[in-house]
């Protein structure tokens, strides 16, 4: 989707269609320079890092295959994605196909997923391409299937 930011600078997304906002993405201009940022709600956090003299929060630019789980999210629920090429810590200045990793929801039922975006500060564009997260039921089915396979293997080895 190519969002019209109605807030006028924030777009609020309900990733899991439960009628609660999970994440807000920001696209604004400061002195003519584009800025993008993200915030998650509830008990969620972004995959990110703190850097710079003031220990400012940044969102990490992930690529396909990067792990998103309780060990990789944090340290905060908000962060800057890009603020021109003058900021050496911004990882989204020119990112045509980048992933933001996040947890969202409330503990103990946090979900882990990603949002794929395209950011190009030279043309001041910010596009949300898609997002995904595994359904809790899917994870339960995978765990049950793995336990079933282990039981079958155990029975076969005893025979």
């Amino acid at each position: 989707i190519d969002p019209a930011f109605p807030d006028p600078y924030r777009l609020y997304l309900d990733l899991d269609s439960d009628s609660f906002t999970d994440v807000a993405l920001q696209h604004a201009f400061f002195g003519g320079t584009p800025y993008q940022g993200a915030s998650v709600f509830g008990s969620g956090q972004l995959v990110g890092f703190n850097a710079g003299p003031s220990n400012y929060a940044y969102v990490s630019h992930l690529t396909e295959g990067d792990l998103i789980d309780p060990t990789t999210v944090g340290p905060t629920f908000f962060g800057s994605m890009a603020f021109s090429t003058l900021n050496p810590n911004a990882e989204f200045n020119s990112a045509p196909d980048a992933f933001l990793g996040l947890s969202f929801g409330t503990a103990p039922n946090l979900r882990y997923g990603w949002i794929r975006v395209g950011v190009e500060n030279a043309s001041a564009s910010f596009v949300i391409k898609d997002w995904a997260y595994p359904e809790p039921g899917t994870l339960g089915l995978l765990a049950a299937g793995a336990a079933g396979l282990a039981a079958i293997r155990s029975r076969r080895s005893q025979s």
Side-chain angles (χ1 to χ4, degrees), residues 96-100 114-118 126-132:
D97 209 29
F99 293 89
L100 287 76
W114 51 261
I115 300 172
R116 187 167 52 116
V117 299
F126 180 38
V127 177
I128 302 164
K129 296 185 174 187
D130 52 11
W131 60 81

Side-chain angles (χ1 to χ4, degrees), residues 75-144:
T76 184
F77 68 94
F78 69 94
S80 172
M81 293 166 55
F83 195 93
S84 86
T85 54
L86 300 176
N87 186 338
N89 297 307
E91 296 185 356
F92 290 85
N93 285 318
S94 180
D97 209 29
F99 293 89
L100 287 76
L102 67 139
S103 62
F104 64 96
T106 55
N109 300 314
L110 286 175
R111 295 179 176 175
Y112 297 87
W114 51 261
I115 300 172
R116 187 167 52 116
V117 299
V119 178
E120 181 53 61
N121 274 347
S123 62
S125 69
F126 180 38
V127 177
I128 302 164
K129 296 185 174 187
D130 52 11
W131 60 81
Y133 63 92
E135 287 285 340
T138 304
L139 294 175
L141 289 172
L142 288 172

Side-chain angles (χ1 to χ4, degrees), residues 44-100:
Q45 292 187 319
L46 293 159
V47 176
F49 61 97
N50 291 335
S54 60
N55 208 28
Y56 196 73
Y58 292 91
V59 179
S60 293
H61 170 226
L62 304 178
T63 57
E64 186 175 335
D66 284 344
L67 183 64
I68 304 166
D69 70 4
T71 66
T72 60
V73 296
T76 184
F77 68 94
F78 69 94
S80 172
M81 293 166 55
F83 195 93
S84 86
T85 54
L86 300 176
N87 186 338
N89 297 307
E91 296 185 356
F92 290 85
N93 285 318
S94 180
D97 209 29
F99 293 89
L100 287 76

Side-chain angles (χ1 to χ4, degrees), residues 13-34:
L13 298 175
D14 175 7
L15 302 178
D16 55 0
S17 302
D18 65 356
S19 300
F20 295 100
T21 298
D22 297 309
V23 64
L25 298 172
Q26 183 176 3
H27 182 60
F29 294 89
F30 296 108
T33 301

